[in-house]
Structures are given as structure tokens and as C-alpha cells.
Amino acid sequence: MNQYHDFNEQIIKLVGGKANIQAVVHCMTRLRFTLKDRSKADTKKLQELEGVIDVVSNNVAYQIIVGTHVNDVYKDLIDQLGMAGDEADKPKTKKNPVKAMLDVISESMTPILEPIICAGLLAAFLSIISLTGLISPESSTYQIFDALRSAVFYFLPILMAMSCAKRLGASPYLAVALAATILSEPINDVAGLSLFGIGLPQITYANSFIPILLAVWFMGYVTKFAKKVIPKSLQYFMSPLVIMLITLPATLLVFGPLGFYIGEGIIGFFNLLMDTIGSWFVMMLYSALQPFIIMLGAGNFIMPVVASLIAANGYDPAFISSCTISDIAVGGAMLGYFLRARNLKQKQLFGTVTLSAILGVTEPAIYGVFVKFRRPFIAVMIGGGLGGLFAGLTGVKAYSIAWGLFGLPAYIGEGDFMNLWLMVAAVAISFIGATIAAYMLGIPVENDEVPTVEEKEKTSSEIIRSTALKNVVEGEVIPLNEVNDQAFSTGALGKGIGIKPTSNTIHSPVDGEVLTVFPTKHAIGLRSDQGVEVLIHIGIDTVSLDGNHFEMNVKQGDRVTAGQPIGEVDFEKVREAGYDTTTMVVITNTQDFLDVIPTSNNRLLNSDDLLNIVLQ
């Protein structure tokens, strides 16, 4: 689960729910909602929500300020809202149907993982208890708990129907009714059936999900059709009947058989792949590359494959094991960095994400450490690859969908303790291998800690070091607390300065690296060689201009020098469009320094210093 899932759930609730959100975009620091009714938003509670810096409501949008990690928050937010990518803020365009279907499958699998994981772990614990002799497999107590395990998988079509219905425009209750119908005794796995004189193939709908997914997709279109043709006065009574009378036959004649054969094809393809190339190759590759897959937002794409494999074979021969091996390798890489780090603040960070990764939650490590330091990717490829190779060569199987340390009992299966010990060995190999690799690779010097200046002598008072930031744009200086934007004027985003521009050229204030250039070009993030992180925000609410009148000459990852022109803005046209052109320059990691001191000049030329950063 994404690290911002619970946070976004609270935001959605406090802005009035999904139904009250018409659109949402984001800029460098804030989420900008277009709400149907702003009176439904609880601004006070939003301001008190941990993780929210402030809330600003003006004529442009309802804005929730969360900080410079807003992009990660936004990605999870639109997933929860059922919006894919740019659909959140742009008119809906026709998507690639294959990609759209994969998105629906991935999003629909996530909510039903809870009961599936529960069932898998329950099976493992029942196996352990029965082997101890405490409970006999023939006892009613065992049978009752085992019924829970078997029911979750047997009624998987019902869970999937409930999960995907709203996403596909169908009624969840009608979708569940359809799933229950095809699972009923007269239909499920019955031979010799016919409908309107047309013979139906014998299909086992239990333990499957693709047939019901296709059927609910079709039901969504039938629902739209029924609303168009049935008078509003009769829709409440007639629509459900019409929808089911059309959808059920179509499911039994078309979508059921089609989904069944697609599922068989998926299982056949992966069985062929593992029989020819070998499961060792699949496991080694996935264990090594999973952090990249998570970073690309495709972490759930294997879940439909895993569900099909478990339904058909009773176990997954590759993917869930690889997930756990990779997660543990991420934890190992972070332990290596923890042991190597000298900076106390970094040790705390590495220690925290080590534990979460071992327990199966790797997003904090991947987004908080891997993206910044990069070398841990190599460590995971080494450790995870070795662990995956061992698991593949020894034939490790996962009997349910559960990962992380707490998921290890799922490898017992029907008393198969050797499978468990082999998995434990694979996990140990990945953890130790990644730890050693990360420790040997080390932490890049420029990111390890702010470089210290070697002092030949110290007087009775500490030597104070500082660095100056050059001017960003010529113009009139205004104190940051006078800027007409609450997020900046309160200092919530860091200390800094405001400038009323009199020229159109934007300059880099530091020697360093471009961290990010916002797509609408109104904001840019930089990091100096001394570790100073600078946010340049050009104008107020100018994100709405969608890049018009802005040009940037640099991109993420570029090297810049102090005074270098990095962009051009036609401020006259920005003003004509009705926007405040005040440009804010703030130090987003202000807390890492003793002080941030603005220039005392009232007007600034390109050659002037803008801010003085006290480093020690």
C-alpha cells in the first residue's frame, strides 16, 4: 500500500467525499481541488490533519498545502479517486483499451487482498496446529476455520464484483447478484446446460476472477444504456431487471467462456515460461527488479497472474516468493546504509525504513532513500537476485498471497516444512547479500552529510560557516511574510524572500543540481553543492496558466551554476492574465541550518546576493 493511502483517505473525507470532487491538480507544494460545494469541506479539521501544512481557499481553487513531496501524494490520491493520471484535471480522452483493463485489474485486486491474505495465513496456521496434534483435521473446529479459508477463494468472483463495480460504472449490488448467480449450484461447473437452445460449455466459475470482471465491465455499458432508454419514472423498478436480463445471458454465452479461456491462457503461458526457461530465471529477475517496478507504479500488475496460478495449482511458483525476497533485500540494503551512516539524522531514517521494508512495506525506502541515493538499487539487485536464484533452483512455492516476514507461514502448505526452510534460506541470502553490497557501495559523499570545513584552529567561539545564494530575478524585494500567499507568508515551506520582477530572465541562485522542473514551468527545485534545497515559485496561482508565458532551459538532473539563466517568463502577459507575478525563493530544508538571512537591499540586480545561509 502506498505510504500516503491513509492520509489521502482522510483528505477525501474532509473535503466532502469523492462525490464533491470535480477535479484535482497539484503544483510544487499543494493539492488544488475544484469542489462542487466548498461548504462541505471541513477546513479546520484539514488544517489540524498531520501532514497538512495549511489550507488556502480562494477564487482560484481549494488548496491543501502538503509540501514538496506533493507529487507522490497526488499519485496515490488520483488512484483512490478512480482517476488515472491526467484524467484528474483534463477532459477524459479515449484510453488504450488494454492499458485501461490492466489498470482496472490492478486497482480492483488491491481492496480484496485483505481477505485473500487472511485466508492464506489461516491455512498455514491450521497446518501448523494440526501437525502439533492440538486439533485434528477431522474435528469440527478445524472444519469451521478451514471453511473460512476455502470460502474466500471459492467466492472470489463475489469479492471481485464488489471491488470493480463502481470503477466500471455498474451497481455493486447487481454485480454481486450476478456473481452469486454464476456460482450457484445450477450453473457453476455444470455440464449439459443450454440457454435459448444454445449449448453452454462446462465452466468452473469458483476461484476465478476474469469472467466476472468482463461481465461487470459489460454491465457498466448496459447500465448506461438502460438509463438512456428507460423513462426516469420507471428506472428504479425497471433498470435492475433490464440490466440483469441482458447481462446474465451475455455472461453465460460470451464473457464467462472468454474469461475462462483467458485465465487458462495466462496459466499456460507462465507454466510454459517456467518449464522452458525455468522458474529460477523468473524469480531471480523479479526479485532483483521489483523496486523499479514499484517506482513505476506497476507493483500490483502481477496480482491477477498470482490469483490465477493459485486458483489453478494451489500455489504460486514464482511471484509472491520473489516479492518477499525483494522486500527483505530492500531492508538489507537499508541496514547496510544504517551501519555505514555517520550522520545521526540519516541513521534514524535508515533504521525506520529498514523495519518497514522487512515487514513488507518498501515504499518509504524506495521513495525516501533509493530515489535520492540510487546505489541501494544495485544492492537490491545483487541481494534480491541471489535470493531469487536460490529460491527458483530449489523450487520454493507460495501457497497464498502474503509477503514480508509475517507471510512466511504461508510457505508451509500441507505440512511442507522443507519448503518453508528453503524460503527462509532464500530470504537470509537476499538480506545478507543486500546488506553487504550496500555497505560496500557506500553512501555518496555529497549526500551523506553537509560537507564540513576542516579547521586548523578553533578559537573560544565556534567558527560559523555560511554560503550566499545569488539573485534569481531582477526586481523589488518584499519580505516573505508580505507575500499574498499563505503557504509562503507563514514560513510553512521554509524561510526565504519575495521579489516583484522587473526583468524576464530567471537565474540559478546556486551551483548545484536541478531536482525538479514542474510541468507547467512555474516552479523549479534546486539543490546546491552545500546541500541547500531551493524552491523558486514564479507567481501566485500561476499553475493555472498551464505553462503559457513560461520557458525553462533546464530539466531534472541538469547541472547549473550560480547566475546561469535557466528560464524566461513574459511577466507582462502574466500580469495581463490577472496573476500576481511575485516570485518566491524559499529554502525548503531550512531546519537543517542555523538561519536563513534575506538581503537588506530593496532592489536587486543579477549580480547581487539574495539570501545568506548559515550552515553551522
mmCIF file of all heavy atoms in Angstrom, residues 372-409:
data_model
loop_
_atom_site.group_PDB
_atom_site.id
_atom_site.type_symbol
_atom_site.label_atom_id
_atom_site.label_comp_id
_atom_site.label_asym_id
_atom_site.label_seq_id
_atom_site.Cartn_x
_atom_site.Cartn_y
_atom_site.Cartn_z
ATOM 1 N N LYS A 372 16.885 9.014 -3.956
ATOM 2 C CA LYS A 372 17.881 10.036 -3.648
ATOM 3 C C LYS A 372 19.305 9.516 -3.807
ATOM 4 O O LYS A 372 20.153 10.168 -4.400
ATOM 5 C CB LYS A 372 17.662 10.536 -2.219
ATOM 6 C CG LYS A 372 18.631 11.624 -1.784
ATOM 7 C CD LYS A 372 18.318 12.087 -0.371
ATOM 8 C CE LYS A 372 19.269 13.189 0.069
ATOM 9 N NZ LYS A 372 19.012 13.635 1.449
ATOM 10 N N PHE A 373 19.578 8.295 -3.292
ATOM 11 C CA PHE A 373 20.946 7.801 -3.257
ATOM 12 C C PHE A 373 21.299 6.866 -4.413
ATOM 13 O O PHE A 373 22.469 6.654 -4.707
ATOM 14 C CB PHE A 373 21.206 7.088 -1.925
ATOM 15 C CG PHE A 373 21.162 8.008 -0.738
ATOM 16 C CD1 PHE A 373 20.061 8.044 0.095
ATOM 17 C CD2 PHE A 373 22.215 8.852 -0.461
ATOM 18 C CE1 PHE A 373 20.012 8.887 1.194
ATOM 19 C CE2 PHE A 373 22.177 9.705 0.627
ATOM 20 C CZ PHE A 373 21.078 9.721 1.452
ATOM 21 N N ARG A 374 20.317 6.216 -5.006
ATOM 22 C CA ARG A 374 20.460 5.383 -6.205
ATOM 23 C C ARG A 374 21.248 4.083 -5.996
ATOM 24 O O ARG A 374 20.859 3.043 -6.511
ATOM 25 C CB ARG A 374 21.082 6.182 -7.359
ATOM 26 C CG ARG A 374 20.238 7.368 -7.790
ATOM 27 C CD ARG A 374 20.842 8.088 -8.995
ATOM 28 N NE ARG A 374 20.015 9.204 -9.410
ATOM 29 C CZ ARG A 374 20.131 10.424 -8.932
ATOM 30 N NH1 ARG A 374 21.045 10.690 -8.018
ATOM 31 N NH2 ARG A 374 19.349 11.387 -9.344
ATOM 32 N N ARG A 375 22.326 4.125 -5.254
ATOM 33 C CA ARG A 375 23.144 2.924 -5.097
ATOM 34 C C ARG A 375 22.402 1.759 -4.440
ATOM 35 O O ARG A 375 22.735 0.599 -4.723
ATOM 36 C CB ARG A 375 24.411 3.254 -4.299
ATOM 37 C CG ARG A 375 25.356 4.173 -5.046
ATOM 38 C CD ARG A 375 26.619 4.439 -4.255
ATOM 39 N NE ARG A 375 27.428 5.483 -4.879
ATOM 40 C CZ ARG A 375 28.563 5.938 -4.376
ATOM 41 N NH1 ARG A 375 29.027 5.438 -3.238
ATOM 42 N NH2 ARG A 375 29.242 6.884 -4.995
ATOM 43 N N PRO A 376 21.429 1.999 -3.555
ATOM 44 C CA PRO A 376 20.691 0.852 -2.998
ATOM 45 C C PRO A 376 19.998 -0.002 -4.054
ATOM 46 O O PRO A 376 19.755 -1.187 -3.819
ATOM 47 C CB PRO A 376 19.673 1.523 -2.065
ATOM 48 C CG PRO A 376 20.332 2.795 -1.641
ATOM 49 C CD PRO A 376 21.083 3.256 -2.861
ATOM 50 N N PHE A 377 19.661 0.574 -5.203
ATOM 51 C CA PHE A 377 19.081 -0.232 -6.281
ATOM 52 C C PHE A 377 20.040 -1.356 -6.664
ATOM 53 O O PHE A 377 19.624 -2.496 -6.893
ATOM 54 C CB PHE A 377 18.792 0.642 -7.510
ATOM 55 C CG PHE A 377 17.546 1.470 -7.398
ATOM 56 C CD1 PHE A 377 17.616 2.845 -7.369
ATOM 57 C CD2 PHE A 377 16.295 0.876 -7.335
ATOM 58 C CE1 PHE A 377 16.477 3.624 -7.275
ATOM 59 C CE2 PHE A 377 15.141 1.638 -7.236
ATOM 60 C CZ PHE A 377 15.239 3.019 -7.210
ATOM 61 N N ILE A 378 21.310 -1.023 -6.748
ATOM 62 C CA ILE A 378 22.317 -2.027 -7.117
ATOM 63 C C ILE A 378 22.410 -3.092 -6.028
ATOM 64 O O ILE A 378 22.512 -4.293 -6.313
ATOM 65 C CB ILE A 378 23.686 -1.355 -7.338
ATOM 66 C CG1 ILE A 378 23.586 -0.301 -8.446
ATOM 67 C CG2 ILE A 378 24.749 -2.391 -7.675
ATOM 68 C CD1 ILE A 378 24.837 0.529 -8.625
ATOM 69 N N ALA A 379 22.368 -2.651 -4.770
ATOM 70 C CA ALA A 379 22.448 -3.597 -3.651
ATOM 71 C C ALA A 379 21.279 -4.575 -3.683
ATOM 72 O O ALA A 379 21.454 -5.782 -3.436
ATOM 73 C CB ALA A 379 22.480 -2.835 -2.332
ATOM 74 N N VAL A 380 20.079 -4.100 -3.971
ATOM 75 C CA VAL A 380 18.903 -4.977 -4.032
ATOM 76 C C VAL A 380 18.990 -5.908 -5.228
ATOM 77 O O VAL A 380 18.606 -7.087 -5.150
ATOM 78 C CB VAL A 380 17.604 -4.145 -4.076
ATOM 79 C CG1 VAL A 380 16.398 -5.038 -4.343
ATOM 80 C CG2 VAL A 380 17.404 -3.417 -2.765
ATOM 81 N N MET A 381 19.500 -5.420 -6.326
ATOM 82 C CA MET A 381 19.668 -6.286 -7.498
ATOM 83 C C MET A 381 20.619 -7.445 -7.173
ATOM 84 O O MET A 381 20.406 -8.581 -7.606
ATOM 85 C CB MET A 381 20.195 -5.476 -8.680
ATOM 86 C CG MET A 381 19.184 -4.491 -9.242
ATOM 87 S SD MET A 381 19.827 -3.512 -10.616
ATOM 88 C CE MET A 381 19.914 -4.768 -11.896
ATOM 89 N N ILE A 382 21.659 -7.155 -6.381
ATOM 90 C CA ILE A 382 22.611 -8.204 -6.007
ATOM 91 C C ILE A 382 21.982 -9.169 -5.000
ATOM 92 O O ILE A 382 21.926 -10.385 -5.226
ATOM 93 C CB ILE A 382 23.898 -7.580 -5.428
ATOM 94 C CG1 ILE A 382 24.631 -6.779 -6.507
ATOM 95 C CG2 ILE A 382 24.809 -8.658 -4.843
ATOM 96 C CD1 ILE A 382 25.776 -5.936 -5.988
ATOM 97 N N GLY A 383 21.501 -8.614 -3.863
ATOM 98 C CA GLY A 383 20.932 -9.463 -2.819
ATOM 99 C C GLY A 383 19.659 -10.158 -3.260
ATOM 100 O O GLY A 383 19.493 -11.371 -3.074
ATOM 101 N N GLY A 384 18.726 -9.383 -3.842
ATOM 102 C CA GLY A 384 17.467 -9.972 -4.295
ATOM 103 C C GLY A 384 17.673 -10.991 -5.397
ATOM 104 O O GLY A 384 17.023 -12.036 -5.429
ATOM 105 N N GLY A 385 18.589 -10.678 -6.320
ATOM 106 C CA GLY A 385 18.878 -11.616 -7.408
ATOM 107 C C GLY A 385 19.412 -12.935 -6.891
ATOM 108 O O GLY A 385 19.014 -14.017 -7.346
ATOM 109 N N LEU A 386 20.325 -12.898 -5.911
ATOM 110 C CA LEU A 386 20.887 -14.128 -5.339
ATOM 111 C C LEU A 386 19.819 -14.931 -4.598
ATOM 112 O O LEU A 386 19.726 -16.162 -4.739
ATOM 113 C CB LEU A 386 22.035 -13.781 -4.385
ATOM 114 C CG LEU A 386 23.321 -13.260 -5.027
ATOM 115 C CD1 LEU A 386 24.307 -12.790 -3.966
ATOM 116 C CD2 LEU A 386 23.962 -14.347 -5.900
ATOM 117 N N GLY A 387 18.991 -14.224 -3.800
ATOM 118 C CA GLY A 387 17.924 -14.913 -3.084
ATOM 119 C C GLY A 387 16.905 -15.526 -4.028
ATOM 120 O O GLY A 387 16.447 -16.661 -3.829
ATOM 121 N N GLY A 388 16.528 -14.784 -5.072
ATOM 122 C CA GLY A 388 15.574 -15.296 -6.056
ATOM 123 C C GLY A 388 16.125 -16.486 -6.818
ATOM 124 O O GLY A 388 15.399 -17.442 -7.116
ATOM 125 N N LEU A 389 17.419 -16.435 -7.143
ATOM 126 C CA LEU A 389 18.054 -17.554 -7.843
ATOM 127 C C LEU A 389 18.012 -18.822 -6.986
ATOM 128 O O LEU A 389 17.658 -19.903 -7.474
ATOM 129 C CB LEU A 389 19.505 -17.189 -8.177
ATOM 130 C CG LEU A 389 20.346 -18.286 -8.840
ATOM 131 C CD1 LEU A 389 19.747 -18.694 -10.179
ATOM 132 C CD2 LEU A 389 21.790 -17.820 -9.014
ATOM 133 N N PHE A 390 18.334 -18.682 -5.706
ATOM 134 C CA PHE A 390 18.306 -19.840 -4.806
ATOM 135 C C PHE A 390 16.886 -20.400 -4.692
ATOM 136 O O PHE A 390 16.677 -21.620 -4.771
ATOM 137 C CB PHE A 390 18.822 -19.434 -3.418
ATOM 138 C CG PHE A 390 18.757 -20.536 -2.405
ATOM 139 C CD1 PHE A 390 19.770 -21.473 -2.316
ATOM 140 C CD2 PHE A 390 17.665 -20.645 -1.542
ATOM 141 C CE1 PHE A 390 19.702 -22.510 -1.381
ATOM 142 C CE2 PHE A 390 17.598 -21.673 -0.605
ATOM 143 C CZ PHE A 390 18.615 -22.603 -0.532
ATOM 144 N N ALA A 391 15.901 -19.522 -4.499
ATOM 145 C CA ALA A 391 14.510 -19.971 -4.351
ATOM 146 C C ALA A 391 14.024 -20.670 -5.618
ATOM 147 O O ALA A 391 13.313 -21.679 -5.556
ATOM 148 C CB ALA A 391 13.605 -18.779 -4.023
ATOM 149 N N GLY A 392 14.415 -20.135 -6.780
ATOM 150 C CA GLY A 392 13.998 -20.745 -8.035
ATOM 151 C C GLY A 392 14.621 -22.113 -8.257
ATOM 152 O O GLY A 392 13.953 -23.060 -8.691
ATOM 153 N N LEU A 393 15.914 -22.226 -7.951
ATOM 154 C CA LEU A 393 16.608 -23.503 -8.157
ATOM 155 C C LEU A 393 16.111 -24.586 -7.207
ATOM 156 O O LEU A 393 16.150 -25.774 -7.532
ATOM 157 C CB LEU A 393 18.117 -23.310 -7.975
ATOM 158 C CG LEU A 393 18.823 -22.464 -9.054
ATOM 159 C CD1 LEU A 393 20.277 -22.235 -8.685
ATOM 160 C CD2 LEU A 393 18.721 -23.147 -10.424
ATOM 161 N N THR A 394 15.644 -24.180 -6.030
ATOM 162 C CA THR A 394 15.163 -25.154 -5.042
ATOM 163 C C THR A 394 13.652 -25.364 -5.091
ATOM 164 O O THR A 394 13.099 -26.146 -4.323
ATOM 165 C CB THR A 394 15.561 -24.716 -3.611
ATOM 166 O OG1 THR A 394 15.091 -23.383 -3.371
ATOM 167 C CG2 THR A 394 17.073 -24.758 -3.448
ATOM 168 N N GLY A 395 12.965 -24.653 -5.996
ATOM 169 C CA GLY A 395 11.536 -24.878 -6.207
ATOM 170 C C GLY A 395 10.629 -24.376 -5.108
ATOM 171 O O GLY A 395 9.608 -24.999 -4.790
ATOM 172 N N VAL A 396 10.943 -23.224 -4.523
ATOM 173 C CA VAL A 396 10.104 -22.656 -3.463
ATOM 174 C C VAL A 396 8.737 -22.268 -4.029
ATOM 175 O O VAL A 396 8.646 -21.723 -5.127
ATOM 176 C CB VAL A 396 10.799 -21.428 -2.833
ATOM 177 C CG1 VAL A 396 9.842 -20.695 -1.897
ATOM 178 C CG2 VAL A 396 12.049 -21.855 -2.074
ATOM 179 N N LYS A 397 7.674 -22.551 -3.267
ATOM 180 C CA LYS A 397 6.307 -22.233 -3.687
ATOM 181 C C LYS A 397 5.629 -21.381 -2.611
ATOM 182 O O LYS A 397 5.857 -21.582 -1.422
ATOM 183 C CB LYS A 397 5.477 -23.496 -3.894
ATOM 184 C CG LYS A 397 6.064 -24.507 -4.866
ATOM 185 C CD LYS A 397 5.184 -25.738 -4.923
ATOM 186 C CE LYS A 397 5.772 -26.804 -5.841
ATOM 187 N NZ LYS A 397 7.033 -27.372 -5.286
ATOM 188 N N ALA A 398 4.775 -20.460 -3.041
ATOM 189 C CA ALA A 398 3.944 -19.687 -2.106
ATOM 190 C C ALA A 398 2.518 -20.216 -2.207
ATOM 191 O O ALA A 398 1.947 -20.246 -3.299
ATOM 192 C CB ALA A 398 3.987 -18.207 -2.449
ATOM 193 N N TYR A 399 1.967 -20.638 -1.068
ATOM 194 C CA TYR A 399 0.642 -21.248 -1.080
ATOM 195 C C TYR A 399 -0.472 -20.224 -0.899
ATOM 196 O O TYR A 399 -1.651 -20.577 -0.933
ATOM 197 C CB TYR A 399 0.543 -22.321 0.000
ATOM 198 C CG TYR A 399 1.413 -23.523 -0.299
ATOM 199 C CD1 TYR A 399 2.641 -23.687 0.333
ATOM 200 C CD2 TYR A 399 1.008 -24.475 -1.230
ATOM 201 C CE1 TYR A 399 3.451 -24.789 0.045
ATOM 202 C CE2 TYR A 399 1.805 -25.560 -1.523
ATOM 203 C CZ TYR A 399 3.032 -25.722 -0.884
ATOM 204 O OH TYR A 399 3.826 -26.800 -1.179
ATOM 205 N N SER A 400 -0.108 -18.955 -0.688
ATOM 206 C CA SER A 400 -1.120 -17.905 -0.585
ATOM 207 C C SER A 400 -0.469 -16.560 -0.870
ATOM 208 O O SER A 400 0.750 -16.461 -0.999
ATOM 209 C CB SER A 400 -1.774 -17.884 0.794
ATOM 210 O OG SER A 400 -0.851 -17.423 1.762
ATOM 211 N N ILE A 401 -1.299 -15.530 -0.964
ATOM 212 C CA ILE A 401 -0.798 -14.183 -1.232
ATOM 213 C C ILE A 401 -0.492 -13.514 0.098
ATOM 214 O O ILE A 401 -1.382 -12.990 0.774
ATOM 215 C CB ILE A 401 -1.828 -13.365 -2.031
ATOM 216 C CG1 ILE A 401 -2.113 -14.036 -3.375
ATOM 217 C CG2 ILE A 401 -1.326 -11.946 -2.260
ATOM 218 C CD1 ILE A 401 -3.169 -13.349 -4.208
ATOM 219 N N ALA A 402 0.760 -13.573 0.502
ATOM 220 C CA ALA A 402 1.213 -12.925 1.738
ATOM 221 C C ALA A 402 2.717 -12.732 1.633
ATOM 222 O O ALA A 402 3.426 -13.637 1.189
ATOM 223 C CB ALA A 402 0.872 -13.776 2.955
ATOM 224 N N TRP A 403 3.201 -11.537 1.989
ATOM 225 C CA TRP A 403 4.634 -11.286 1.853
ATOM 226 C C TRP A 403 5.175 -10.601 3.110
ATOM 227 O O TRP A 403 4.425 -10.220 3.992
ATOM 228 C CB TRP A 403 4.950 -10.463 0.610
ATOM 229 C CG TRP A 403 4.155 -9.219 0.478
ATOM 230 C CD1 TRP A 403 4.472 -7.984 0.959
ATOM 231 C CD2 TRP A 403 2.892 -9.067 -0.188
ATOM 232 N NE1 TRP A 403 3.491 -7.076 0.646
ATOM 233 C CE2 TRP A 403 2.508 -7.720 -0.060
ATOM 234 C CE3 TRP A 403 2.046 -9.945 -0.875
ATOM 235 C CZ2 TRP A 403 1.339 -7.231 -0.601
ATOM 236 C CZ3 TRP A 403 0.880 -9.451 -1.402
ATOM 237 C CH2 TRP A 403 0.536 -8.113 -1.271
ATOM 238 N N GLY A 404 6.490 -10.438 3.151
ATOM 239 C CA GLY A 404 7.129 -9.919 4.353
ATOM 240 C C GLY A 404 7.350 -11.051 5.355
ATOM 241 O O GLY A 404 6.960 -12.207 5.137
ATOM 242 N N LEU A 405 7.981 -10.737 6.465
ATOM 243 C CA LEU A 405 8.291 -11.757 7.467
ATOM 244 C C LEU A 405 7.048 -12.462 7.986
ATOM 245 O O LEU A 405 7.049 -13.666 8.221
ATOM 246 C CB LEU A 405 9.052 -11.123 8.642
ATOM 247 C CG LEU A 405 10.537 -10.826 8.414
ATOM 248 C CD1 LEU A 405 11.154 -10.288 9.691
ATOM 249 C CD2 LEU A 405 11.277 -12.077 7.955
ATOM 250 N N PHE A 406 5.966 -11.687 8.190
ATOM 251 C CA PHE A 406 4.750 -12.287 8.726
ATOM 252 C C PHE A 406 4.070 -13.212 7.715
ATOM 253 O O PHE A 406 3.171 -13.964 8.082
ATOM 254 C CB PHE A 406 3.771 -11.203 9.181
ATOM 255 C CG PHE A 406 4.224 -10.477 10.413
ATOM 256 C CD1 PHE A 406 4.415 -9.101 10.399
ATOM 257 C CD2 PHE A 406 4.490 -11.158 11.574
ATOM 258 C CE1 PHE A 406 4.843 -8.430 11.529
ATOM 259 C CE2 PHE A 406 4.914 -10.505 12.719
ATOM 260 C CZ PHE A 406 5.098 -9.138 12.700
ATOM 261 N N GLY A 407 4.494 -13.164 6.474
ATOM 262 C CA GLY A 407 3.911 -14.042 5.465
ATOM 263 C C GLY A 407 4.615 -15.373 5.332
ATOM 264 O O GLY A 407 4.163 -16.242 4.583
ATOM 265 N N LEU A 408 5.714 -15.594 6.064
ATOM 266 C CA LEU A 408 6.481 -16.837 5.919
ATOM 267 C C LEU A 408 5.679 -18.104 6.255
ATOM 268 O O LEU A 408 5.910 -19.142 5.627
ATOM 269 C CB LEU A 408 7.755 -16.773 6.772
ATOM 270 C CG LEU A 408 8.840 -15.816 6.248
ATOM 271 C CD1 LEU A 408 10.047 -15.818 7.171
ATOM 272 C CD2 LEU A 408 9.261 -16.190 4.825
ATOM 273 N N PRO A 409 4.757 -18.075 7.233
ATOM 274 C CA PRO A 409 3.975 -19.299 7.482
ATOM 275 C C PRO A 409 3.198 -19.782 6.256
ATOM 276 O O PRO A 409 2.833 -20.955 6.177
ATOM 277 C CB PRO A 409 3.017 -18.877 8.604
ATOM 278 C CG PRO A 409 3.735 -17.786 9.327
ATOM 279 C CD PRO A 409 4.473 -17.034 8.252
#
